[in-house]
Short mmCIF file of all heavy atoms in Angstrom, two decimals:
data_model
loop_
_atom_site.label_atom_id
_atom_site.label_comp_id
_atom_site.label_asym_id
_atom_site.label_seq_id
_atom_site.Cartn_x
_atom_site.Cartn_y
_atom_site.Cartn_z
N LEU A 62 -5.47 -54.43 -159.16
CA LEU A 62 -5.23 -54.63 -160.60
C LEU A 62 -4.47 -53.45 -161.21
O LEU A 62 -3.61 -53.65 -162.07
CB LEU A 62 -6.55 -54.86 -161.33
CG LEU A 62 -7.26 -56.17 -160.97
CD1 LEU A 62 -8.63 -56.23 -161.61
CD2 LEU A 62 -6.41 -57.37 -161.36
N LEU A 63 -4.79 -52.24 -160.76
CA LEU A 63 -4.04 -51.08 -161.26
C LEU A 63 -2.59 -51.13 -160.80
O LEU A 63 -1.68 -50.75 -161.55
CB LEU A 63 -4.70 -49.79 -160.79
CG LEU A 63 -6.00 -49.42 -161.51
CD1 LEU A 63 -6.67 -48.23 -160.84
CD2 LEU A 63 -5.74 -49.14 -162.98
N GLY A 64 -2.36 -51.61 -159.59
CA GLY A 64 -0.99 -51.77 -159.12
C GLY A 64 -0.24 -52.83 -159.90
O GLY A 64 0.96 -52.69 -160.19
N ARG A 65 -0.95 -53.86 -160.26
CA ARG A 65 -0.32 -54.96 -160.98
C ARG A 65 -0.05 -54.62 -162.45
O ARG A 65 1.00 -54.95 -162.99
CB ARG A 65 -1.19 -56.20 -160.88
CG ARG A 65 -0.52 -57.43 -161.42
CD ARG A 65 -1.06 -58.65 -160.79
NE ARG A 65 -0.27 -59.78 -161.20
CZ ARG A 65 -0.24 -60.91 -160.57
NH1 ARG A 65 -0.95 -61.06 -159.48
NH2 ARG A 65 0.48 -61.91 -161.01
N TRP A 66 -1.03 -53.97 -163.09
CA TRP A 66 -0.90 -53.73 -164.53
C TRP A 66 -1.01 -52.26 -164.93
O TRP A 66 -0.88 -51.94 -166.09
CB TRP A 66 -1.95 -54.53 -165.29
CG TRP A 66 -1.68 -56.00 -165.25
CD1 TRP A 66 -0.58 -56.65 -165.71
CD2 TRP A 66 -2.52 -57.00 -164.69
NE1 TRP A 66 -0.68 -58.00 -165.48
CE2 TRP A 66 -1.87 -58.24 -164.86
CE3 TRP A 66 -3.76 -56.99 -164.08
CZ2 TRP A 66 -2.41 -59.44 -164.42
CZ3 TRP A 66 -4.30 -58.19 -163.64
CH2 TRP A 66 -3.63 -59.39 -163.82
N GLY A 67 -1.27 -51.39 -163.98
CA GLY A 67 -1.48 -49.98 -164.30
C GLY A 67 -0.19 -49.20 -164.45
O GLY A 67 0.89 -49.66 -164.11
N SER A 68 -0.33 -48.01 -164.95
CA SER A 68 0.82 -47.14 -165.14
C SER A 68 0.91 -46.14 -164.00
O SER A 68 -0.02 -45.97 -163.22
CB SER A 68 0.67 -46.38 -166.47
OG SER A 68 -0.41 -45.46 -166.37
N THR A 69 2.02 -45.48 -163.91
CA THR A 69 2.21 -44.44 -162.90
C THR A 69 1.17 -43.34 -163.09
O THR A 69 0.64 -42.80 -162.13
CB THR A 69 3.64 -43.86 -162.98
OG1 THR A 69 4.56 -44.94 -162.82
CG2 THR A 69 3.87 -42.81 -161.92
N TRP A 70 0.85 -43.01 -164.33
CA TRP A 70 -0.14 -41.98 -164.60
C TRP A 70 -1.49 -42.35 -163.97
O TRP A 70 -2.12 -41.52 -163.33
CB TRP A 70 -0.30 -41.77 -166.11
CG TRP A 70 -1.30 -40.71 -166.43
CD1 TRP A 70 -1.07 -39.37 -166.51
CD2 TRP A 70 -2.69 -40.89 -166.68
NE1 TRP A 70 -2.24 -38.71 -166.78
CE2 TRP A 70 -3.26 -39.61 -166.90
CE3 TRP A 70 -3.54 -41.99 -166.73
CZ2 TRP A 70 -4.60 -39.42 -167.18
CZ3 TRP A 70 -4.87 -41.79 -167.01
CH2 TRP A 70 -5.38 -40.53 -167.23
N LEU A 71 -1.93 -43.58 -164.16
CA LEU A 71 -3.20 -44.02 -163.57
C LEU A 71 -3.16 -43.94 -162.04
O LEU A 71 -4.10 -43.50 -161.41
CB LEU A 71 -3.51 -45.46 -163.98
CG LEU A 71 -4.12 -45.68 -165.34
CD1 LEU A 71 -4.21 -47.17 -165.66
CD2 LEU A 71 -5.49 -45.06 -165.41
N ILE A 72 -2.06 -44.38 -161.49
CA ILE A 72 -1.92 -44.40 -160.03
C ILE A 72 -1.96 -42.98 -159.47
O ILE A 72 -2.64 -42.71 -158.49
CB ILE A 72 -0.62 -45.14 -159.63
CG1 ILE A 72 -0.74 -46.62 -159.98
CG2 ILE A 72 -0.31 -44.93 -158.15
CD1 ILE A 72 0.56 -47.38 -159.92
N ARG A 73 -1.26 -42.06 -160.11
CA ARG A 73 -1.18 -40.69 -159.61
C ARG A 73 -2.42 -39.87 -159.95
O ARG A 73 -2.96 -39.16 -159.11
CB ARG A 73 0.06 -39.97 -160.17
CG ARG A 73 1.36 -40.63 -159.84
CD ARG A 73 1.77 -40.47 -158.38
NE ARG A 73 3.04 -41.11 -158.15
CZ ARG A 73 3.18 -42.29 -157.56
NH1 ARG A 73 2.15 -42.94 -157.12
NH2 ARG A 73 4.36 -42.82 -157.41
N LYS A 74 -2.87 -39.93 -161.20
CA LYS A 74 -3.94 -39.05 -161.67
C LYS A 74 -5.34 -39.59 -161.41
O LYS A 74 -6.23 -38.85 -161.03
CB LYS A 74 -3.79 -38.76 -163.18
CG LYS A 74 -2.50 -38.07 -163.53
CD LYS A 74 -2.40 -36.70 -162.89
CE LYS A 74 -1.11 -36.04 -163.33
NZ LYS A 74 -0.80 -34.85 -162.59
N VAL A 75 -5.55 -40.87 -161.61
CA VAL A 75 -6.89 -41.45 -161.44
C VAL A 75 -7.13 -41.79 -159.98
O VAL A 75 -8.14 -41.39 -159.39
CB VAL A 75 -7.08 -42.68 -162.35
CG1 VAL A 75 -8.42 -43.33 -162.09
CG2 VAL A 75 -6.96 -42.29 -163.82
N LEU A 76 -6.22 -42.53 -159.37
CA LEU A 76 -6.40 -42.93 -157.98
C LEU A 76 -5.97 -41.84 -157.00
O LEU A 76 -6.33 -41.87 -155.83
CB LEU A 76 -5.61 -44.20 -157.66
CG LEU A 76 -6.12 -45.46 -158.31
CD1 LEU A 76 -5.23 -46.63 -157.94
CD2 LEU A 76 -7.54 -45.74 -157.89
N ARG A 77 -5.20 -40.89 -157.50
CA ARG A 77 -4.70 -39.78 -156.68
C ARG A 77 -3.88 -40.29 -155.48
O ARG A 77 -3.98 -39.76 -154.38
CB ARG A 77 -5.84 -38.89 -156.21
CG ARG A 77 -6.52 -38.21 -157.36
CD ARG A 77 -7.55 -37.26 -156.84
NE ARG A 77 -8.65 -37.26 -157.81
CZ ARG A 77 -9.84 -36.84 -157.56
NH1 ARG A 77 -10.13 -36.35 -156.39
NH2 ARG A 77 -10.75 -36.87 -158.48
N ILE A 78 -3.12 -41.33 -155.71
CA ILE A 78 -2.22 -41.85 -154.68
C ILE A 78 -0.87 -41.17 -154.86
O ILE A 78 -0.24 -41.29 -155.91
CB ILE A 78 -2.11 -43.38 -154.75
CG1 ILE A 78 -3.47 -43.99 -154.39
CG2 ILE A 78 -1.01 -43.90 -153.84
CD1 ILE A 78 -3.55 -45.48 -154.55
N THR A 79 -0.46 -40.46 -153.85
CA THR A 79 0.80 -39.72 -153.93
C THR A 79 1.97 -40.67 -153.73
O THR A 79 1.82 -41.76 -153.16
CB THR A 79 0.86 -38.62 -152.85
OG1 THR A 79 0.89 -39.25 -151.56
CG2 THR A 79 -0.34 -37.68 -152.95
N PRO A 80 3.16 -40.25 -154.17
CA PRO A 80 4.33 -41.09 -153.92
C PRO A 80 4.55 -41.34 -152.43
O PRO A 80 4.97 -42.43 -152.03
CB PRO A 80 5.49 -40.27 -154.51
CG PRO A 80 4.85 -39.42 -155.56
CD PRO A 80 3.48 -39.10 -155.03
N GLU A 81 4.22 -40.35 -151.59
CA GLU A 81 4.36 -40.51 -150.14
C GLU A 81 3.42 -41.59 -149.61
O GLU A 81 3.81 -42.42 -148.78
CB GLU A 81 4.09 -39.18 -149.41
CG GLU A 81 5.10 -38.09 -149.72
CD GLU A 81 4.86 -37.40 -151.06
OE1 GLU A 81 3.71 -37.38 -151.57
OE2 GLU A 81 5.83 -36.90 -151.64
N GLN A 82 2.15 -41.57 -150.07
CA GLN A 82 1.18 -42.58 -149.64
C GLN A 82 1.63 -43.97 -150.10
O GLN A 82 1.54 -44.94 -149.34
CB GLN A 82 -0.21 -42.28 -150.20
CG GLN A 82 -0.89 -41.10 -149.59
CD GLN A 82 -2.18 -40.76 -150.32
OE1 GLN A 82 -2.24 -40.75 -151.55
NE2 GLN A 82 -3.22 -40.48 -149.55
N GLN A 83 2.10 -44.05 -151.32
CA GLN A 83 2.55 -45.33 -151.84
C GLN A 83 3.77 -45.82 -151.06
O GLN A 83 3.85 -47.01 -150.70
CB GLN A 83 2.87 -45.23 -153.33
CG GLN A 83 3.14 -46.57 -153.96
CD GLN A 83 3.24 -46.50 -155.47
OE1 GLN A 83 2.99 -45.47 -156.08
NE2 GLN A 83 3.59 -47.61 -156.09
N HIS A 84 4.69 -44.93 -150.75
CA HIS A 84 5.87 -45.31 -149.97
C HIS A 84 5.48 -45.79 -148.57
O HIS A 84 6.01 -46.80 -148.07
CB HIS A 84 6.86 -44.14 -149.87
CG HIS A 84 8.06 -44.46 -149.04
ND1 HIS A 84 9.04 -45.32 -149.47
CD2 HIS A 84 8.42 -44.05 -147.80
CE1 HIS A 84 9.96 -45.43 -148.52
NE2 HIS A 84 9.60 -44.67 -147.51
N ARG A 85 4.54 -45.08 -147.93
CA ARG A 85 4.07 -45.48 -146.59
C ARG A 85 3.44 -46.88 -146.65
O ARG A 85 3.70 -47.72 -145.79
CB ARG A 85 3.06 -44.47 -146.06
CG ARG A 85 2.67 -44.70 -144.62
CD ARG A 85 1.72 -43.66 -144.07
NE ARG A 85 2.04 -42.32 -144.47
CZ ARG A 85 1.17 -41.43 -144.93
NH1 ARG A 85 -0.10 -41.73 -145.02
NH2 ARG A 85 1.54 -40.22 -145.28
N ALA A 86 2.64 -47.11 -147.67
CA ALA A 86 2.00 -48.42 -147.82
C ALA A 86 3.04 -49.51 -148.07
O ALA A 86 2.95 -50.61 -147.51
CB ALA A 86 0.98 -48.38 -148.96
N GLU A 87 4.04 -49.19 -148.88
CA GLU A 87 5.11 -50.17 -149.14
C GLU A 87 5.86 -50.49 -147.85
O GLU A 87 6.23 -51.64 -147.61
CB GLU A 87 6.06 -49.65 -150.21
CG GLU A 87 5.47 -49.68 -151.59
CD GLU A 87 6.32 -48.96 -152.64
OE1 GLU A 87 7.35 -48.34 -152.29
OE2 GLU A 87 5.93 -49.02 -153.82
N SER A 88 6.08 -49.47 -147.01
CA SER A 88 6.75 -49.69 -145.73
C SER A 88 5.93 -50.62 -144.84
O SER A 88 6.48 -51.53 -144.21
CB SER A 88 6.99 -48.36 -145.01
OG SER A 88 7.88 -47.57 -145.75
N TRP A 89 4.62 -50.37 -144.76
CA TRP A 89 3.73 -51.23 -143.97
C TRP A 89 3.79 -52.65 -144.51
O TRP A 89 3.85 -53.61 -143.76
CB TRP A 89 2.30 -50.72 -144.03
CG TRP A 89 1.96 -49.61 -143.10
CD1 TRP A 89 2.73 -48.53 -142.78
CD2 TRP A 89 0.73 -49.44 -142.40
NE1 TRP A 89 2.05 -47.71 -141.94
CE2 TRP A 89 0.83 -48.24 -141.68
CE3 TRP A 89 -0.43 -50.19 -142.31
CZ2 TRP A 89 -0.21 -47.78 -140.88
CZ3 TRP A 89 -1.45 -49.73 -141.52
CH2 TRP A 89 -1.34 -48.53 -140.80
N PHE A 90 3.73 -52.73 -145.83
CA PHE A 90 3.69 -54.05 -146.48
C PHE A 90 5.00 -54.80 -146.24
O PHE A 90 5.00 -56.00 -146.00
CB PHE A 90 3.43 -53.88 -147.98
CG PHE A 90 2.62 -54.99 -148.56
CD1 PHE A 90 1.24 -54.94 -148.53
CD2 PHE A 90 3.23 -56.09 -149.13
CE1 PHE A 90 0.48 -55.97 -149.06
CE2 PHE A 90 2.48 -57.12 -149.67
CZ PHE A 90 1.10 -57.06 -149.63
N THR A 91 6.10 -54.09 -146.31
CA THR A 91 7.40 -54.71 -146.06
C THR A 91 7.51 -55.16 -144.61
O THR A 91 8.00 -56.25 -144.32
CB THR A 91 8.54 -53.72 -146.40
OG1 THR A 91 8.42 -53.35 -147.77
CG2 THR A 91 9.89 -54.34 -146.15
N ARG A 92 7.02 -54.32 -143.71
CA ARG A 92 7.15 -54.62 -142.28
C ARG A 92 6.20 -55.74 -141.83
O ARG A 92 6.58 -56.62 -141.07
CB ARG A 92 6.88 -53.36 -141.48
CG ARG A 92 7.10 -53.53 -140.01
CD ARG A 92 7.06 -52.22 -139.29
NE ARG A 92 7.31 -52.41 -137.88
CZ ARG A 92 7.25 -51.47 -136.99
NH1 ARG A 92 6.98 -50.25 -137.36
NH2 ARG A 92 7.48 -51.73 -135.74
N TYR A 93 4.94 -55.68 -142.27
CA TYR A 93 3.93 -56.62 -141.77
C TYR A 93 3.51 -57.67 -142.79
O TYR A 93 2.70 -58.54 -142.48
CB TYR A 93 2.68 -55.85 -141.31
CG TYR A 93 2.99 -54.85 -140.22
CD1 TYR A 93 2.96 -53.49 -140.47
CD2 TYR A 93 3.34 -55.28 -138.94
CE1 TYR A 93 3.26 -52.56 -139.48
CE2 TYR A 93 3.64 -54.37 -137.95
CZ TYR A 93 3.60 -53.02 -138.22
OH TYR A 93 3.90 -52.12 -137.24
N GLY A 94 4.03 -57.59 -143.99
CA GLY A 94 3.69 -58.56 -145.02
C GLY A 94 2.25 -58.39 -145.49
O GLY A 94 1.60 -57.38 -145.24
N SER A 95 1.76 -59.40 -146.15
CA SER A 95 0.42 -59.32 -146.72
C SER A 95 -0.67 -59.22 -145.66
O SER A 95 -1.79 -58.79 -145.95
CB SER A 95 0.15 -60.50 -147.65
OG SER A 95 0.26 -61.71 -146.95
N LEU A 96 -0.36 -59.55 -144.40
CA LEU A 96 -1.35 -59.40 -143.33
C LEU A 96 -1.77 -57.94 -143.15
O LEU A 96 -2.84 -57.67 -142.61
CB LEU A 96 -0.82 -59.96 -142.01
CG LEU A 96 -0.73 -61.48 -141.92
CD1 LEU A 96 -0.13 -61.90 -140.59
CD2 LEU A 96 -2.09 -62.12 -142.14
N SER A 97 -0.96 -57.02 -143.62
CA SER A 97 -1.33 -55.61 -143.54
C SER A 97 -2.59 -55.32 -144.36
O SER A 97 -3.27 -54.32 -144.11
CB SER A 97 -0.18 -54.71 -144.01
OG SER A 97 0.14 -54.97 -145.36
N LEU A 98 -2.94 -56.21 -145.27
CA LEU A 98 -4.16 -56.03 -146.06
C LEU A 98 -5.42 -56.11 -145.20
O LEU A 98 -6.48 -55.65 -145.61
CB LEU A 98 -4.23 -57.06 -147.19
CG LEU A 98 -3.24 -56.84 -148.32
CD1 LEU A 98 -3.21 -58.04 -149.26
CD2 LEU A 98 -3.55 -55.57 -149.08
N LEU A 99 -5.31 -56.66 -144.01
CA LEU A 99 -6.44 -56.65 -143.08
C LEU A 99 -6.83 -55.21 -142.71
O LEU A 99 -7.94 -54.96 -142.28
CB LEU A 99 -6.10 -57.44 -141.81
CG LEU A 99 -6.00 -58.95 -141.97
CD1 LEU A 99 -5.40 -59.58 -140.71
CD2 LEU A 99 -7.37 -59.55 -142.29
N LEU A 100 -5.90 -54.28 -142.93
CA LEU A 100 -6.14 -52.87 -142.63
C LEU A 100 -6.46 -52.06 -143.88
O LEU A 100 -6.40 -50.83 -143.86
CB LEU A 100 -4.92 -52.28 -141.91
CG LEU A 100 -4.53 -52.98 -140.61
CD1 LEU A 100 -3.25 -52.39 -140.05
CD2 LEU A 100 -5.66 -52.91 -139.60
N SER A 101 -6.84 -52.72 -144.94
CA SER A 101 -7.11 -52.02 -146.20
C SER A 101 -8.32 -51.11 -146.13
O SER A 101 -8.55 -50.30 -147.01
CB SER A 101 -7.30 -53.03 -147.34
OG SER A 101 -8.45 -53.84 -147.09
N TRP A 102 -9.09 -51.18 -145.06
CA TRP A 102 -10.26 -50.32 -144.88
C TRP A 102 -9.88 -48.96 -144.29
O TRP A 102 -10.69 -48.04 -144.28
CB TRP A 102 -11.29 -51.00 -143.98
CG TRP A 102 -10.74 -51.37 -142.64
CD1 TRP A 102 -10.13 -52.54 -142.30
CD2 TRP A 102 -10.72 -50.55 -141.47
NE1 TRP A 102 -9.73 -52.50 -140.99
CE2 TRP A 102 -10.08 -51.28 -140.44
CE3 TRP A 102 -11.19 -49.27 -141.19
CZ2 TRP A 102 -9.90 -50.78 -139.17
CZ3 TRP A 102 -11.01 -48.77 -139.91
CH2 TRP A 102 -10.36 -49.53 -138.92
N LEU A 103 -8.66 -48.83 -143.80
CA LEU A 103 -8.25 -47.57 -143.17
C LEU A 103 -8.18 -46.43 -144.17
O LEU A 103 -7.76 -46.62 -145.31
CB LEU A 103 -6.86 -47.73 -142.53
CG LEU A 103 -6.77 -48.53 -141.24
CD1 LEU A 103 -5.32 -48.76 -140.86
CD2 LEU A 103 -7.52 -47.82 -140.13
N PRO A 104 -8.57 -45.24 -143.74
CA PRO A 104 -8.40 -44.07 -144.61
C PRO A 104 -6.92 -43.81 -144.89
O PRO A 104 -6.06 -44.20 -144.10
CB PRO A 104 -9.00 -42.92 -143.80
CG PRO A 104 -9.74 -43.54 -142.68
CD PRO A 104 -9.18 -44.91 -142.47
N VAL A 105 -6.62 -43.18 -145.96
CA VAL A 105 -5.30 -42.74 -146.40
C VAL A 105 -4.39 -43.89 -146.82
O VAL A 105 -3.84 -43.88 -147.90
CB VAL A 105 -4.59 -41.86 -145.34
CG1 VAL A 105 -3.23 -41.39 -145.83
CG2 VAL A 105 -5.45 -40.66 -144.96
N VAL A 106 -4.23 -44.91 -146.01
CA VAL A 106 -3.28 -45.98 -146.32
C VAL A 106 -3.94 -47.20 -146.96
O VAL A 106 -3.27 -47.99 -147.62
CB VAL A 106 -2.47 -46.37 -145.06
CG1 VAL A 106 -3.30 -47.18 -144.10
CG2 VAL A 106 -1.21 -47.10 -145.43
N GLY A 107 -5.26 -47.35 -146.83
CA GLY A 107 -5.94 -48.54 -147.32
C GLY A 107 -5.85 -48.75 -148.82
O GLY A 107 -5.49 -49.84 -149.29
N ASP A 108 -6.18 -47.71 -149.59
CA ASP A 108 -6.12 -47.83 -151.05
C ASP A 108 -4.69 -48.10 -151.53
O ASP A 108 -4.48 -48.99 -152.36
CB ASP A 108 -6.69 -46.59 -151.73
CG ASP A 108 -8.17 -46.41 -151.44
OD1 ASP A 108 -8.83 -47.38 -151.00
OD2 ASP A 108 -8.69 -45.30 -151.66
N PRO A 109 -3.70 -47.36 -151.02
CA PRO A 109 -2.33 -47.68 -151.42
C PRO A 109 -1.89 -49.09 -151.03
O PRO A 109 -1.10 -49.71 -151.75
CB PRO A 109 -1.49 -46.62 -150.71
CG PRO A 109 -2.42 -45.48 -150.51
CD PRO A 109 -3.75 -46.11 -150.26
N LEU A 110 -2.38 -49.63 -149.91
CA LEU A 110 -2.03 -51.00 -149.54
C LEU A 110 -2.48 -51.99 -150.61
O LEU A 110 -1.75 -52.91 -150.98
CB LEU A 110 -2.66 -51.39 -148.20
CG LEU A 110 -1.92 -50.97 -146.94
CD1 LEU A 110 -2.77 -51.26 -145.70
CD2 LEU A 110 -0.57 -51.64 -146.83
N CYS A 111 -3.69 -51.80 -151.11
CA CYS A 111 -4.21 -52.68 -152.16
C CYS A 111 -3.39 -52.52 -153.44
O CYS A 111 -3.07 -53.51 -154.11
CB CYS A 111 -5.68 -52.38 -152.43
SG CYS A 111 -6.76 -52.81 -151.06
N LEU A 112 -3.02 -51.30 -153.75
CA LEU A 112 -2.20 -51.03 -154.92
C LEU A 112 -0.84 -51.70 -154.79
O LEU A 112 -0.37 -52.36 -155.72
CB LEU A 112 -2.03 -49.51 -155.06
CG LEU A 112 -1.23 -49.06 -156.25
CD1 LEU A 112 -2.16 -48.86 -157.44
CD2 LEU A 112 -0.52 -47.76 -155.95
N VAL A 113 -0.21 -51.57 -153.64
CA VAL A 113 1.10 -52.17 -153.41
C VAL A 113 1.01 -53.69 -153.48
O VAL A 113 1.92 -54.34 -153.99
CB VAL A 113 1.68 -51.69 -152.05
CG1 VAL A 113 2.89 -52.51 -151.65
CG2 VAL A 113 2.03 -50.21 -152.14
#
Side-chain angles (χ1 to χ4, degrees):
L62 293 173
L63 286 172
R65 189 154 187 161
W66 291 300
S68 68
T69 303
W70 181 86
L71 279 173
I72 292 167
R73 301 288 181 257
K74 299 297 182 191
V75 176
L76 290 179
R77 296 185 213 162
I78 293 174
T79 66
E81 295 79 25
Q82 289 173 316
Q83 189 171 353
H84 178 71
R85 188 177 319 133
E87 287 171 355
S88 295
W89 278 40
F90 214 87
T91 301
R92 186 170 181 184
Y93 301 109
S95 60
L96 287 177
S97 62
L98 289 170
L99 290 169
L100 302 175
S101 64
W102 58 270
L103 286 172
V105 181
V106 74
D108 296 343
L110 277 172
C111 293
L112 182 90
V113 168

